[in-house]
Amino acid sequence: MTDQTPQVRLERAKEASRATASLTSDDKVRALEAVAVALLREAPRIIDANARDIERGREEGIGDSLIDRLRLDDKRVAALAAAVREIAALPDPVGRVVGGHRMPNGVALEQVRVPFGVVGAIYEARPNVTVDIAALALRSGNAVVLRGGSAARDSNTVLVEIMRDALSVAGVTPEAIQTVDDFGREGARALMHGRGLVDVLVPRGSASLIETVVTESTVPVIETGAGNVHIFLDETAPDDWACDIVVNAKVQRPSVCNAVETVLVHRQAAPRLIPLVASALMSEGVAIHGDDIVAGLVTTVIPATEEDWETEYLSLDVAMKVVDSLDDALEHIRRYSTGHTESIITTDARNAERFLAEVDSAVVMTNASTRFTDGGEFGFGAEVGISTQKLHARGPMGLSELTSTKWLARGAGQTRD
Amino acid sequence: MTDQTPQVRLERAKEASRATASLTSDDKVRALEAVAVALLREAPRIIDANARDIERGREEGIGDSLIDRLRLDDKRVAALAAAVREIAALPDPVGRVVGGHRMPNGVALEQVRVPFGVVGAIYEARPNVTVDIAALALRSGNAVVLRGGSAARDSNTVLVEIMRDALSVAGVTPEAIQTVDDFGREGARALMHGRGLVDVLVPRGSASLIETVVTESTVPVIETGAGNVHIFLDETAPDDWACDIVVNAKVQRPSVCNAVETVLVHRQAAPRLIPLVASALMSEGVAIHGDDIVAGLVTTVIPATEEDWETEYLSLDVAMKVVDSLDDALEHIRRYSTGHTESIITTDARNAERFLAEVDSAVVMTNASTRFTDGGEFGFGAEVGISTQKLHARGPMGLSELTSTKWLARGAGQTRD
């Protein structure tokens, strides 16, 4: 590209957003189908570019698990295209009437969903995020400006090229998808300070990336992600629910934000539940970081320190602590939770309702695995991220969360008294 | 008070917010009634404190209009109490179910409105804002931390004391209403950087105050206010609607954000409309800043410069410009609007719908006065402010906009496959 500043890319996105805002749902579906077809057709080119990222990653000594997250093969490219088609199949949020009434003087007020305009995203690692966020933004009528991780640089460049070309073919301005990857740190700074050009910025990645974006940005940000997730095994927690849910929440996919990190156990249930749950966890290879009481009930417990209560392990490790009461469990959660997801296992209806009411997290559960906090599980298709703030979006973010609203007022000459 | 840091006040508000979140609607109504009664009973003390602010203001040489905005008398204190009772009479947004469904595996998902927690407000001038924002925050289950303008320091101190005492009497923790006025600039800084303690911060006041809060804050902010508001008189605008609406929008209350600042006139309608509208405006004492064509049609026009298109006069001044087409009007609005309110006067349905669709502002009107952009007119009771950003709230903010949502998931042992 010949343009010289990230600012120009933001301006082009802003201009393109006026066109994408007025696309019909059919237009958007056609454009996304063109993107899906192009991704499949260009799979060899994508995989070739990805091989360069992987080679560079190996030279730079990044670990096997990161290499695996970075890798694209035929199957994964097919999954990218399938995700685009799933997003195309979701109902269009734009134009939905969400409120309104007739004023006493006859002015007709209507509140309707409209696209944000320009959605910015700063993210790391997996190249599928490039395609997911672009497709979600376009489906909801937005233009998007992407800033991906340098590890996936070559993959992201090719993916953006392919998507832009596909938009052109479908008669949609390619300027609706922009990247500022080629500007390095300056690209991220332009996004964070793009007042008047960037309507919302979503960071996705490590806690430190999110912290940087939240504290440095002067544009509106939706904070996502960090999940120091708790399960509380209440006095009445049944053996099977306790074991099944804790094991599922820890083991099914330990590296994600909705995996459980700390299990709190009611003192009265500790002798019954801790040996059972610990043994179920350990047979799946989970290391338990426990307090003294846990250590007295289970062998091979790693002594827990203050740091364990604060840690989002994202690995086959779990912290375990005995508490005296529901109140103590609530107090512990208040202190250490990141406000993502917490679940209580109990048959006591009073305690269940208190937990639901008093825990101040995006998702609060009774007797279910914390792994359910997920856009797909909630029925939103792909997700932009999981918001852990309270402004605008809270919990898994779908297409609606990429829209704003606008008031329309239709009068016939009315003035104010 | 004996506590030494603004941080302590924020922490107390956070703790109090757990109590206010679980108040019933009846509890909140009783507390607000106690506040209203106390304001009326303590009117002499309020007016006395206010007299000190006015005296200091006069010494510092602030203008008569600011002095008038600052002043509290018996009638205005009665209006404060009446506003609190109006807010108490609004439906409670907390607990309203706004979404949900049963997952295929039987988990019952429910999305409910919950209070934000701690609402921060940084504002200027009128002491009624102190009472309005505290009452709105409490009605929606939040604690509030206030930072008012130094001009109203003594009034605000007394108002906060009276409200806190009234809460105590009603059995609600007085810590739910905090001020950081006594910490000066440090108080504002603590609010803007209170990550984890302040859930949302609303600035209300001058453009420069809002800009400072938006760019300096690391907590989520809702940008309010600035209104460079446009009315477009289309080719088919009827004489009476054009005159009535423009005059109403400019003259009824020129100092507020929904007052019109620029009138755009279609070239074909200029010879018919401009003399009529200009004469109606001038007979109300409005000064017209016009382009060459306007100057050719009306005597005593002040020549408009680029600066006039950018200016939010907030006075009996209006800019007037002739445009060649609807497209040119849209382009002018895109360039100079602050995204608050714009209105088209037309009988052409096609142009009306294009204007509604393409103008990217919080409120877009056809054939109505821009003065209708107001929480009271929209049926929200008092308003926290008018949001000109797209995240979370757009347009007049009522009680719902002071709430977030939370997902509740009720299961019976479900785990994820």
Side-chain angles (χ1 to χ4, degrees):
Chain A
M1 308 197 187
T2 57
D3 39 274
Q4 296 301 308
T5 68
Q7 186 74 8
V8 169
R9 305 268 173 90
L10 300 189
E11 285 163 7
R12 287 183 185 179
K14 189 73 183 175
E15 200 184 327
S17 74
R18 294 208 290 273
T20 54
S22 59
L23 294 175
T24 64
S25 184
D26 285 351
D27 294 335
K28 291 181 272 192
V29 168
R30 261 193 304 273
L32 289 171
E33 178 58 23
V35 168
V37 167
L39 290 170
L40 292 171
R41 190 188 56 229
E42 304 280 353
R45 206 174 128 212
I46 296 167
I47 292 165
D48 197 50
N50 183 252
R52 291 196 297 277
D53 285 331
I54 298 214
E55 198 188 321
R56 204 177 54 248
R58 290 214 188 282
E59 279 165 15
E60 288 168 5
I62 67 176
D64 282 350
S65 76
L66 259 177
I67 292 280
D68 180 61
R69 295 182 72 189
L70 192 54
R71 186 189 307 281
L72 291 175
D73 53 21
D74 276 315
K75 206 176 135 200
R76 287 191 178 172
V77 172
L80 287 182
V84 172
R85 283 177 169 147
E86 262 180 60
I87 291 165
L90 294 171
D92 190 340
V94 174
R96 205 175 295 160
V97 177
V98 293
H101 60 275
R102 198 167 277 269
M103 287 166 61
N105 60 16
V107 171
L109 260 188
E110 198 181 45
Q111 188 182 28
V112 298
R113 286 219 170 279
V114 294
F116 264 119
V118 175
V119 173
I122 299 182
Y123 55 99
E124 286 168 340
R126 290 181 299 160
N128 68 308
V129 176
T130 302
V131 175
D132 279 357
I133 291 190
L136 287 163
L138 190 69
R139 185 71 185 99
S140 47
N142 295 288
V144 67
V145 183
L146 300 162
R147 170 66 168 83
S150 57
R153 197 174 58 206
D154 288 0
S155 313
N156 287 339
T157 302
V158 166
L159 288 169
V160 167
E161 274 175 28
I162 292 169
M163 290 192 289
R164 285 172 58 102
D165 289 347
L167 292 192
S168 287
V169 168
V172 171
T173 172
E175 306 294 355
I177 301 177
Q178 301 283 343
T179 172
V180 289
D181 282 0
D182 45 332
F183 298 109
R185 174 111 189 94
E186 271 314 296
R189 282 183 56 82
L191 271 171
M192 292 189 282
H193 295 275
R195 300 242 304 138
L197 294 172
V198 177
D199 294 292
V200 63
L201 179 58
V202 184
R204 245 179 98 165
S206 68
S208 76
L209 173 125
I210 293 166
E211 182 68 18
T212 300
V213 172
V214 167
T215 54
E216 191 173 326
S217 294
T218 57
V219 300
V221 169
I222 297 182
E223 192 167 348
T224 66
N228 190 15
V229 168
H230 297 76
I231 294 178
F232 172 48
L233 305 178
D234 194 14
E235 187 173 355
T236 60
D239 293 354
D240 53 346
W241 290 4
C243 286
D244 293 352
I245 290 173
V246 169
V247 169
N248 182 260
K250 179 76 256 180
V251 171
Q252 201 236 3
R253 203 167 159 203
S255 65
V256 291
C257 59
N258 57 20
V260 69
E261 305 294 4
T262 294
V263 177
L264 302 170
V265 187
H266 194 287
R267 182 177 295 274
Q268 298 300 326
R272 169 173 64 90
L273 287 176
I274 287 177
L276 277 176
V277 172
S279 130
L281 284 167
M282 289 189 295
S283 74
E284 298 280 349
V286 177
I288 296 173
H289 305 243
D291 67 7
D292 290 349
I293 303 178
V294 175
L297 292 163
V298 185
T299 51
T300 68
V301 164
I302 303 160
T305 65
E306 177 70 14
E307 207 187 328
D308 286 290
W309 315 133
E310 294 164 354
T311 301
E312 189 183 1
Y313 297 112
L314 299 173
S315 63
L316 285 174
D317 291 82
V318 76
M320 195 173 285
K321 185 183 183 181
V322 173
V323 293
D324 286 340
S325 61
L326 172 59
D327 281 306
D328 283 1
L330 291 170
E331 181 55 37
H332 182 98
I333 289 169
R334 210 148 35 223
R335 185 146 167 213
Y336 297 103
S337 166
T338 52
H340 188 293
T341 302
E342 332 294 336
S343 184
I344 184 175
I345 316 302
T346 189
T347 59
D348 182 321
R350 185 193 303 256
N351 287 359
E353 292 304 316
R354 263 199 71 196
F355 193 85
L356 289 171
E358 294 185 26
V359 172
D360 187 24
S361 297
V363 187
V364 191
M365 300 178 166
T366 60
N367 301 316
S369 169
T370 56
R371 289 278 295 122
F372 287 120
T373 298
D374 172 272
E377 295 292 322
F378 275 39
F380 301 165
E383 76 191 10
V384 186
I386 294 176
S387 167
T388 53
Q389 70 174 38
K390 297 185 188 172
L391 200 73
H392 186 74
R394 197 174 189 201
M397 292 171 62
L399 287 180
S400 284
E401 283 72 27
L402 284 183
T403 63
S404 180
T405 55
K406 161 166 145 179
W407 289 96
L408 307 179
R410 293 177 168 93
Q414 285 89 343
T415 56
R416 187 161 165 190
D417 298 328
Chain B
M1 307 196 191
T2 57
D3 38 275
Q4 294 302 309
T5 68
Q7 187 73 8
V8 170
R9 305 266 173 91
L10 300 190
E11 283 163 10
R12 287 184 186 176
K14 188 74 182 174
E15 201 184 327
S17 74
R18 295 207 290 274
T20 53
S22 59
L23 294 175
T24 64
S25 184
D26 286 348
D27 294 335
K28 290 181 274 193
V29 169
R30 261 194 303 270
L32 288 172
E33 178 58 24
V35 167
V37 167
L39 289 170
L40 292 171
R41 191 188 54 228
E42 303 280 352
R45 205 174 128 211
I46 297 167
I47 293 165
D48 196 50
N50 184 252
R52 292 195 296 276
D53 286 331
I54 300 223
E55 196 187 323
R56 204 175 54 246
R58 290 214 187 281
E59 280 164 15
E60 289 167 5
I62 67 177
D64 281 350
S65 76
L66 258 177
I67 291 280
D68 179 61
R69 296 182 71 191
L70 191 56
R71 186 188 308 280
L72 291 175
D73 53 21
D74 276 318
K75 204 176 138 201
R76 287 190 177 174
V77 172
L80 287 181
V84 171
R85 283 178 168 145
E86 262 181 58
I87 291 165
L90 294 171
D92 191 340
V94 173
R96 206 176 295 161
V97 178
V98 292
H101 60 275
R102 198 166 277 267
M103 288 166 63
N105 60 16
V107 172
L109 261 187
E110 197 180 45
Q111 188 182 27
V112 298
R113 286 218 170 280
V114 295
F116 265 120
V118 175
V119 173
I122 299 183
Y123 54 99
E124 286 169 339
R126 290 182 298 161
N128 68 307
V129 175
T130 302
V131 175
D132 279 357
I133 291 189
L136 286 163
L138 190 69
R139 185 69 185 101
S140 48
N142 294 289
V144 67
V145 183
L146 300 162
R147 170 67 168 82
S150 56
R153 197 174 59 205
D154 287 357
S155 313
N156 287 339
T157 302
V158 167
L159 288 169
V160 167
E161 275 175 28
I162 292 169
M163 290 192 290
R164 285 172 57 102
D165 289 347
L167 292 193
S168 288
V169 169
V172 171
T173 170
E175 305 294 354
I177 300 177
Q178 300 284 342
T179 173
V180 289
D181 282 0
D182 45 331
F183 298 110
R185 173 111 189 95
E186 271 314 295
R189 284 184 54 82
L191 271 171
M192 293 190 280
H193 295 275
R195 300 242 303 138
L197 293 173
V198 177
D199 294 292
V200 64
L201 179 58
V202 183
R204 247 179 96 166
S206 68
S208 76
L209 172 124
I210 293 167
E211 182 68 18
T212 301
V213 172
V214 168
T215 55
E216 190 174 327
S217 293
T218 58
V219 300
V221 169
I222 297 181
E223 193 168 346
T224 65
N228 191 13
V229 167
H230 297 75
I231 293 178
F232 172 49
L233 305 179
D234 195 15
E235 188 173 352
T236 61
D239 293 353
D240 54 345
W241 290 4
C243 287
D244 293 352
I245 290 173
V246 170
V247 170
N248 182 259
K250 180 75 256 180
V251 172
Q252 202 236 2
R253 201 165 160 204
S255 66
V256 292
C257 59
N258 58 19
V260 68
E261 305 294 3
T262 295
V263 177
L264 302 170
V265 187
H266 194 288
R267 181 178 296 273
Q268 297 300 327
R272 171 173 62 90
L273 288 175
I274 287 177
L276 278 176
V277 172
S279 128
L281 283 168
M282 289 188 297
S283 75
E284 299 280 348
V286 177
I288 296 174
H289 305 245
D291 66 8
D292 291 348
I293 303 178
V294 175
L297 292 163
V298 185
T299 50
T300 67
V301 164
I302 303 160
T305 65
E306 176 70 16
E307 207 187 327
D308 286 290
W309 316 133
E310 293 164 356
T311 301
E312 189 183 1
Y313 298 111
L314 300 173
S315 63
L316 285 174
D317 292 82
V318 75
M320 194 174 285
K321 186 185 182 179
V322 173
V323 294
D324 285 339
S325 61
L326 172 59
D327 281 304
D328 283 2
L330 291 170
E331 181 54 37
H332 182 98
I333 289 168
R334 209 144 42 221
R335 187 149 163 210
Y336 297 104
S337 167
T338 52
H340 189 293
T341 302
E342 332 294 335
S343 184
I344 184 175
I345 315 302
T346 189
T347 60
D348 181 323
R350 187 193 302 256
N351 287 359
E353 291 306 314
R354 264 198 71 196
F355 193 86
L356 289 171
E358 294 185 26
V359 172
D360 188 23
S361 297
V363 186
V364 191
M365 299 178 167
T366 61
N367 302 317
S369 169
T370 55
R371 289 276 297 123
F372 287 120
T373 298
D374 172 274
E377 295 292 321
F378 275 39
F380 301 166
E383 75 191 11
V384 186
I386 295 177
S387 167
T388 53
Q389 69 173 38
K390 297 185 188 173
L391 200 73
H392 185 74
R394 198 175 189 202
M397 293 171 62
L399 287 180
S400 284
E401 283 71 27
L402 285 184
T403 63
S404 180
T405 54
K406 160 166 146 179
W407 288 95
L408 306 180
R410 294 178 167 91
Q414 285 89 342
T415 56
R416 187 161 165 190
D417 296 330

